[in-house]
Structures are given as C-alpha cells and as structure tokens.
Amino acid sequence: MDPVVIPAIVAAIVVIFLVASTVRIVPQARRHNIERFGRYRRTLQPGLNFVLPVADRVNTKLDVREQVYSSDPRPVITEDNLVVNIDTVLYYQITDPRAAAYEVADYLQAIDQLTVTTLRNVIGSMDLEETLTSREEINSRLRAVLDDATGKWGIRVNRVEIKAIDPPATIKEAMEKQMRAERDKRAAILHAEGERQAKILTAEGTRQKDILEAQGAQQAMILRADGEAKAVELVFQAVHRNNADPKVLAYKYLETLPHLASSDNNTFWVIPGELTEAVRTVTSAFGDQSTAGRPQPAQTEEAADAETPRDGRVPELDAGSTVSLDAATAADQAEKQAAAAVSDAKAEAEAAMSPQAPRRGQRSGD
C-alpha cells in the first residue's frame, strides 16, 4: 500500500469527526447548556447550532414545556392535633435553563421539600374541618410561597393542587356518622315541613269549601225567599184585584189541607181549629142560588141543632191542639169532605143556571 494513502484516510476521518462535533441540532421546546472548558458558555436554542469541537460540550438538556409533578402522601398535623395525609400535584415550567442547571442541584427535590414544609405551616394553623373546606385558600398560599422561592431557580410554579386529604380511619367513621345524622335531621325537617304544608293546604281547602257552600246556601235561601215573596205578592194582588169573597178563600183553604199530610214521615197530623168553619162555608157557598138537591129546612135545622151545642156556638178546635190521627186517614177524610162540598156546589150552580130548573118559590108543576 502506498504510504501516502494511509495518512490521507486518517486525515479525512479526523476532519469528518471535527465537523460532526461542530454541528448541534436542538429539538423544539428543548434547551442545551454549553460549557467551554468546564465553564458555562451559552444556551443553545432550538434548530441548527455550531460549537467549537473539543472545547465546547453539552452540560444539561432541559425541557421548557410545563411539567407535572405529583408528590407522595405526607403526614401533616392540624391545629387540633390530628394527623392527616396530604398529597399534592405541582404544575411548573422552566423559564431560565441556566439557573435551573446551576442555581440548584436538584430542582424537583427542592420543590418537593419546599412544598412539604409550606404545607405543614399552612395546615398547622387550621383545624380539620377548616382544612377539608379550605382547599382553595391552601392552594393559593402554597403557590405564592413556591413561586417566590423558585423564581431564583429559573422555575415558575403555575399551579398547585391538593389531590387528597386522608384523615385517620376513626375520624372518617365519626365524620360519616355526623353526616348521616345531618342527613337524617334534614330529612326529618323536610318531612315535617311537607306534612305541615299539606295540613295547611287541606285546612285552607276545607275552609274555602265551607265558605263557598255557606255562600251558596245563603244565595239559594235568598233566591228562594225572593221567589216566595214574589209568589205571595202575586197571589195577594190577584186576590185583591179579583175581589175574592170569603167563600173562595175557604175553598182554597180546604184545597191546601191534604198537602199537609203528603209526606211519608208524618206520624200525626195537626188539624187547625178553623177546619169546621171552612167546611161549613164551602158547603153553604151556593145555598142561596137553588134549592135542588138540598135538604129541607127542617132537616137542616135539625142537623144544625144536633151539631151545634145548646149555647149556640160552633165547636172549634184550638189552634195549638193536635188530634192523634193517622196522617193518611186525616188527609183522606179532609179530601173527601172538600171534594163532596165542591161537587155539591157545582151541581147547585149548574141547576141554578139552567133555564129548565124550577125557580125559587115556584112549584114543580107550574
């Protein structure tokens, strides 16, 4: 082999190595810290970069995207001396790659320890109930402390969240009993309120119903009374307009009597004291028009003498007296008497109005 070829090949390999070590390609959202002879020189940005071979080297490669760090549960003592386990979730982002690489040895461990100490200080000033209900306040206080401490490390804490707060098992059991009692209490209160409202509504409905029924009954009675008053007024005007005599009134009186005993529940019937007088008035209504079919005066007088007491007065029933008769029997008797009196009166009227009927004072043979 030619002795010139071997040095040429070695020289080419060295040149290729030097060129390859000069070019640095940085991906997007990455940062590379360059040291020259062990001293920080600069930070390479994403894209194609050139460095001095052998003199420059990459010390750290950092990701500047937002990172998520979840810590393990840590025991924390509250103000009321209860131990609770709290684990947090941290959202951070590297803003200065040089500070993150040279200001702190391990920024994740530093953030974790700072979170634990800050959390113990914050939780130590709260009791258990306040700790469980003040997550937003705890998160804001943690973020303020961490952001202030990690700013010189080139790290920005965007958000801190408490993932879980685990009290002891006995405390959990007591809290469950308390919550169960509170739910039972609310259920009992709601049930009582529902029953109370239902009773109030029922009472209001009953009251409205009674009021409406009373108003309806009142209106019905008023209308019934107005109708009866108008009927009485019309009857009164008709009687006075037609100039009815006592005979017609006595007939209407007898015509009304059977209706008094029309009810099935009547066990006795009160007969007014004017019944006898009314019957006599109706039977003698047409006595002066014709003598046909009438009894002789001697017989009439004898019957009147037999019915009239010796002192000359017609026996009448007191207004307050009652006759212990069956209602149906009394009604039938009154109806029969009234019908007989009306029939006799009609027959006498027809006989008196007939031209063939014999006149008073004439004999039948004339």
Side-chain angles (χ1 to χ4, degrees), residues 9 19 45 49 72 99 101 136 145 271 276-277 284 353-354:
I9 296 174
V19 172
Q45 300 298 322
N49 296 274
D72 297 331
E136 291 296 332
V145 173
I271 301 177
T276 306
E277 186 66 24
S284 60
M353 295 176 63
S354 177

Side-chain angles (χ1 to χ4, degrees), residues 131-146:
T131 301
L132 295 175
T133 58
S134 303
R135 293 198 175 192
E136 291 296 332
E137 181 181 357
I138 296 172
N139 294 337
S140 60
R141 293 175 65 178
L142 279 175
R143 181 181 178 279
V145 173
L146 292 176

Side-chain angles (χ1 to χ4, degrees), residues 38-361:
R39 185 178 180 179
Y40 173 77
R41 178 64 180 174
R42 62 191 177 101
T43 301
L44 299 183
Q45 300 298 322
L48 181 63
N49 296 274
F50 297 96
V51 296
L52 292 177
V54 180
D56 295 339
R57 69 181 184 90
V58 177
N59 181 24
T60 54
K61 297 180 180 180
L62 299 176
D63 191 344
V64 296
R65 294 176 297 180
E66 187 174 8
Q67 304 292 320
V68 179
Y69 175 73
S70 178
S71 63
D72 297 331
R74 300 298 177 88
V76 180
I77 301 176
T78 61
E79 187 180 10
D80 49 356
N81 297 325
L82 292 177
V83 179
V84 294
N85 294 323
I86 301 178
D87 54 342
T88 59
V89 177
L90 182 66
Y91 296 87
Y92 69 95
Q93 185 177 11
I94 297 175
T95 58
D96 188 358
R98 185 197 66 79
Y102 296 102
E103 295 295 334
V104 62
D106 189 352
Y107 60 86
L108 286 180
Q109 185 179 4
I111 292 175
D112 186 21
Q113 296 300 321
L114 182 60
T115 302
V116 172
T117 55
T118 306
L119 191 61
R120 286 176 178 174
N121 292 332
V122 173
I123 299 300
S125 61
M126 299 180 179
D127 56 7
L128 179 61
E129 185 175 359
E130 188 178 1
T131 301
L132 295 175
T133 58
S134 303
R135 293 198 175 192
E136 291 296 332
E137 181 181 357
I138 296 172
N139 294 337
S140 60
R141 293 175 65 178
L142 279 175
R143 181 181 178 279
V145 173
L146 292 176
D147 195 18
D148 183 56
T150 59
K152 62 181 181 179
W153 299 339
I155 297 173
R156 182 179 66 240
V157 177
N158 296 326
R159 192 171 183 180
V160 179
E161 293 289 340
I162 295 179
K163 186 165 61 175
I165 300 176
D166 296 328
T170 55
I171 301 300
K172 286 183 179 180
E173 185 178 357
M175 293 172 60
E176 290 177 357
K177 290 181 180 180
Q178 181 181 1
M179 294 302 298
R180 191 179 302 111
E182 288 292 335
R183 293 190 185 95
D184 294 340
K185 176 183 175 181
R186 288 197 296 267
I189 291 174
L190 292 176
H191 183 69
E193 288 291 337
E195 290 184 352
R196 173 176 172 272
Q197 192 68 20
K199 290 181 180 179
I200 290 174
L201 294 177
T202 302
E204 288 291 336
T206 304
R207 175 174 171 273
Q208 292 294 332
K209 175 186 175 183
D210 294 340
I211 291 174
L212 293 177
E213 288 181 353
Q215 291 178 353
Q218 179 186 8
Q219 294 295 329
M221 293 176 65
I222 292 173
L223 294 176
R224 192 180 298 110
D226 290 340
E228 292 179 357
K230 290 181 180 178
V232 171
E233 183 179 0
L234 292 176
V235 172
F236 183 78
Q237 292 178 0
V239 169
H240 283 274
R241 184 169 56 249
N242 297 327
N243 195 16
D245 56 2
K247 298 176 182 180
V248 177
L249 298 178
Y251 170 70
K252 296 299 293 180
Y253 179 76
L254 291 176
E255 190 178 18
T256 308
L257 285 177
H259 297 286
L260 298 177
S262 61
S263 177
D264 297 335
N265 297 326
N266 289 337
T267 57
F268 64 92
W269 188 38
V270 179
I271 301 177
E274 294 84 0
L275 177 62
T276 306
E277 186 66 24
V279 173
R280 291 181 61 185
T281 302
V282 173
T283 54
S284 60
F286 301 94
D288 56 351
Q289 296 181 7
S290 175
T291 57
R294 293 179 57 189
Q296 297 298 324
Q299 296 177 357
T300 305
E301 292 177 358
E302 292 177 357
D305 294 338
E307 293 179 358
T308 305
R310 295 184 182 277
D311 55 2
R313 294 182 301 175
V314 179
E316 296 179 355
L317 296 175
D318 296 335
S321 63
T322 58
V323 180
S324 300
L325 298 176
D326 184 76
T329 304
D332 293 340
Q333 291 178 1
E335 185 178 1
K336 289 178 181 180
Q337 292 176 3
V342 173
S343 300
D344 293 340
K346 288 182 178 180
E348 291 177 1
E350 292 176 359
M353 295 176 63
S354 177
Q356 290 81 10
R359 296 182 179 177
R360 180 182 296 180

Side-chain angles (χ1 to χ4, degrees), residues 8-42:
I9 296 174
V10 173
I13 294 174
V14 171
V15 170
I16 293 173
F17 175 76
L18 291 176
V19 172
S21 62
T22 301
V23 177
R24 292 288 185 269
I25 298 176
V26 180
Q28 183 66 32
R30 300 291 193 278
R31 301 291 186 274
H32 294 176
N33 291 327
I34 300 298
E35 293 180 352
R36 179 173 295 177
F37 299 111
R39 185 178 180 179
Y40 173 77
R41 178 64 180 174
R42 62 191 177 101

